[in-house]
Amino acid sequence: MKVTFVERNGNLVAKIRGEIDHHTAQNIKNSITNEFAKSNAKNIVFDFAHVSFMDSSGIGMVIGRYKELQKSGGRVFAINIGAEIGRIFEISGLKRIVPCFAGLDEIENNLGVGI
Amino acid sequence: MQNIFEMKFLAISQNQAFARVCAAAFAAQLNPTLAELNEVKTAVSEAVTNAMIHGYGAGCDDEKWIYLRCQILDNEIWVEIEDKGMGINDIAAAREPLYTTKPDEERSGMGFTVMEEFMDEVVVHSALGEGTVVKMSKKITQ
Ligand SMILES: Nc1ncnc2c1ncn2[C@@H]1O[C@H](COP(=O)(O)OP(=O)(O)OP(=O)(O)O)[C@@H](O)[C@H]1O
Ligand SMILES: [Mg+2]
């Protein structure tokens, strides 16, 4: 498991590589929380392009960031969701609170830059 | 076809990926689609994680075993995950979506819902102070 970051126009993109389960969720959470604190970003974008597996530990981890950002008026988005993680998003209702997009460009096109 | 496989492993989080991959590799004998295989893998991951964090709680201990038993019966895969931990107080409540006894640890209470969604049948037996067995089955389309 590895997380790399890109910051663009107020969005911190967290590219997660590997599997998200209880074993890895805590480390992913910590690295995102640390990076977000250092950044000037307002929103967090989870990039799932290279996530090969996710169970309900991932749901809790994403909702955790959503609740945290709610306090500062920030938002949480997801990009590059495949069919399998898409089903986890649907079953859990995550889709309703964490909007899913094809990529960062689509988020900026839909919501404007610098929100 | 009929086949059986059984193992036990320590309840430490390093073993989560190991256990679900073992179950999926066994189920692969039925030639499932990638989606079906992922469903079995995810359901096993949910039950194994529950055994570790709810059944046994934190801390490594030589006595904390999790048992994984798999069986293939015709075109159906059966998976059983057992812990000898604290047990579930109210099984019906535990199976409700969003029900969790650990909300402070970023748990969403969706584990059982995922198991039910991804498998055909989920049966839970549990006794306080004795442990929990989750038994799940899924027909593989061939
Ligand atoms: N093996 C077990 N031993 C004891 N209690 C359990 C066990 N499995 C589940 N539970 C109880 O059932 C509840 C619901 O489980 P479920 O997997 O649906 O949600 P969760 O584990 O709390 O959260 P999530 O799976 O979304 O991270 C748990 O919070 C726990 O109280
Ligand atoms: Mg769970």
Side-chain angles (χ1 to χ4, degrees):
Chain A
M1 189 284 302
K2 200 178 152 203
V3 192
T4 53
F5 297 94
V6 179
E7 191 180 341
R8 195 170 94 184
N9 297 320
N11 294 314
L12 181 69
V13 183
K15 270 183 214 248
I16 303 168
R17 208 167 264 281
E19 303 194 314
I20 310 179
D21 61 8
H22 172 61
H23 181 62
T24 60
Q26 184 71 34
N27 285 337
I28 296 171
K29 172 199 162 172
N30 290 343
S31 74
I32 292 176
T33 311
N34 290 342
E35 191 73 22
F36 186 73
K38 282 191 285 176
S39 77
N40 296 312
K42 192 176 173 210
N43 307 317
I44 292 175
V45 179
F46 283 91
D47 186 345
F48 286 95
H50 300 285
V51 175
S52 49
F53 177 86
M54 178 168 119
D55 65 15
S56 67
S57 301
I59 302 172
M61 195 266 296
V62 174
I63 291 179
R65 308 290 70 68
Y66 167 82
K67 285 184 178 160
E68 240 167 45
L69 262 63
Q70 260 189 329
K71 297 175 202 155
S72 57
R75 299 185 68 186
V76 174
F77 303 106
I79 58 174
N80 295 316
I81 300 262
E84 263 129 33
I85 293 169
R87 270 189 74 199
I88 297 275
F89 263 68
E90 242 151 55
I91 297 165
S92 63
L94 210 49
K95 230 173 191 151
R96 289 196 301 270
I97 59 171
V98 175
C100 300
F101 293 94
L104 187 55
D105 290 344
E106 203 189 41
I107 296 179
E108 291 179 351
N109 289 341
N110 272 272
L111 300 162
V113 168
I115 36 144
Chain B
M1 185 168 58
Q2 150 105 12
N3 196 359
I4 294 178
F5 151 75
E6 185 177 338
M7 71 175 195
K8 67 170 187 179
F9 53 94
L10 283 180
I12 52 177
S13 66
Q14 282 82 351
N15 281 334
Q16 276 162 20
F18 171 68
R20 64 178 177 256
V21 166
C22 286
F26 186 76
Q29 295 174 22
L30 287 174
N31 291 321
T33 62
L34 275 182
E36 286 169 331
L37 207 56
N38 186 64
E39 286 162 0
V40 171
K41 218 171 158 181
T42 311
V44 170
S45 191
E46 296 298 350
V48 167
T49 303
N50 282 351
M52 288 180 187
I53 61 177
H54 302 299
Y56 288 124
C60 181
D61 186 325
D62 285 353
E63 301 296 307
K64 293 175 178 173
W65 291 106
I66 295 173
Y67 302 81
L68 171 65
R69 300 181 196 96
C70 300
Q71 184 166 14
I72 288 172
L73 262 180
D74 297 324
N75 64 337
E76 202 168 19
I77 175 89
W78 286 82
V79 192
E80 202 178 289
I81 293 99
E82 177 174 6
D83 68 70
K84 305 212 178 286
M86 63 183 278
I88 301 175
N89 188 26
D90 183 341
I91 297 176
R95 294 177 70 140
E96 286 289 317
L98 304 178
Y99 177 90
T100 181
T101 46
K102 289 193 190 298
D104 43 324
E105 292 176 26
E106 297 205 338
R107 308 240 61 100
S108 60
M110 293 305 292
F112 273 122
T113 307
V114 169
M115 289 182 246
E116 278 163 14
E117 187 76 20
F118 283 2
M119 302 294 280
D120 296 340
E121 218 181 305
V122 179
V123 181
V124 184
H125 294 287
S126 191
L128 283 181
E130 285 174 34
T132 300
V133 187
V134 175
K135 197 170 178 176
M136 306 182 272
S137 69
K138 185 179 182 68
K139 272 205 170 62
I140 302 297
T141 55
Q142 278 162 323

